[in-house]
Amino acid sequence: MNNRNSRKFTFSPNQIAVVGVLMGLGLALSRVAIPLGTTNRLSLGFVVTAVISMLFGPWVGGFAAAGVDLLVSFIFGQQGVFFLGFTFTAFMNGLIYGFFLHRRRPNWKHLVLAVVFQTVISNIILNTLWVHILYQTPVVVLLAGRIPQNLIMAPIRFALLYFVMRNKQLLQVFDRYTAAKK
């Protein structure tokens, strides 16, 4: 298992089991949220998306994140209407995290880039567009609330990801499944 090709996602039973367990953890963590004020909450599901993407790459991370989003919607229901755009946003989150974190030892530079791109593309652009489409709220009004919210939340997401990604046990799993340069 030393060459790069043997470390690709090959749909081996072991890899599928790890992704499945992590998706189950993502499903559970999506139900755990820390309230931050009256309108904001921090859900920890993004951490699992980042870990799957870091271990197995952007495509596996994207599809796993979309799968978790669909499972959460179907099992627990939504706070509002189901909209496939938010599932696409979850997929994009996995792609973004995988692009910046896969096949690299996680460090603060990659995490900053991943969090910045995820915040701008997914949270500010895509989710604002989906809310605008769903509720016809003017984009300027939405951005007035979403930009400050994400300026506060991005460093919190970075700190949580940095803490998790530097965990020694996770780094051992990372070394087993990734083709990162050491």
Side-chain angles (χ1 to χ4, degrees), residues 10-177:
T10 58
F11 296 95
S12 73
N14 193 23
Q15 291 173 329
I16 292 170
V18 171
V19 171
V21 167
L22 288 172
M23 286 177 68
L25 180 62
L27 188 68
L29 285 178
S30 72
R31 305 304 298 161
V32 176
I34 302 164
L36 301 171
T38 57
T39 59
N40 293 332
R41 64 185 193 97
L42 176 63
S43 174
L44 301 176
F46 75 95
V47 174
V48 176
T49 299
V51 169
I52 292 172
S53 299
M54 178 185 79
L55 293 175
F56 299 109
W59 293 105
V60 174
F63 283 113
V68 169
D69 183 73
L70 289 171
L71 286 170
V72 167
S73 297
F74 296 146
I75 293 172
F76 301 115
Q78 292 275 105
Q79 290 85 17
V81 296
F82 173 76
F83 185 65
L84 201 55
F86 293 116
T87 303
F88 178 73
T89 299
F91 177 79
M92 288 301 297
N93 288 340
L95 279 179
I96 292 167
Y97 285 129
F99 179 77
F100 287 104
L101 303 177
H102 184 56
R103 295 195 174 167
R104 296 180 175 102
R105 291 290 284 189
N107 64 38
W108 69 271
K109 293 175 197 170
H110 296 132
L111 284 173
V112 165
L113 287 172
V115 169
V116 166
F117 274 81
Q118 185 273 332
T119 298
V120 171
I121 293 170
S122 295
N123 295 352
I124 294 176
I125 295 173
L126 289 176
N127 283 345
T128 301
L129 175 64
W130 308 143
V131 173
H132 169 70
I133 289 171
L134 281 171
Y135 302 108
Q136 273 60 50
T137 307
V139 172
V140 175
V141 172
L142 291 171
L143 288 176
R146 295 180 72 78
I147 290 174
Q149 170 190 349
N150 281 286
L151 287 174
I152 294 168
M153 295 303 290
I156 295 170
R157 282 192 296 272
F158 167 80
L160 283 170
L161 284 175
Y162 187 79
F163 175 74
V164 168
M165 299 290 183
R166 300 306 300 171
N167 180 284
K168 288 182 182 183
Q169 287 78 18
L170 181 63
L171 288 174
Q172 289 174 351
V173 172
F174 177 76
D175 289 338
R176 180 173 180 184
Y177 286 103

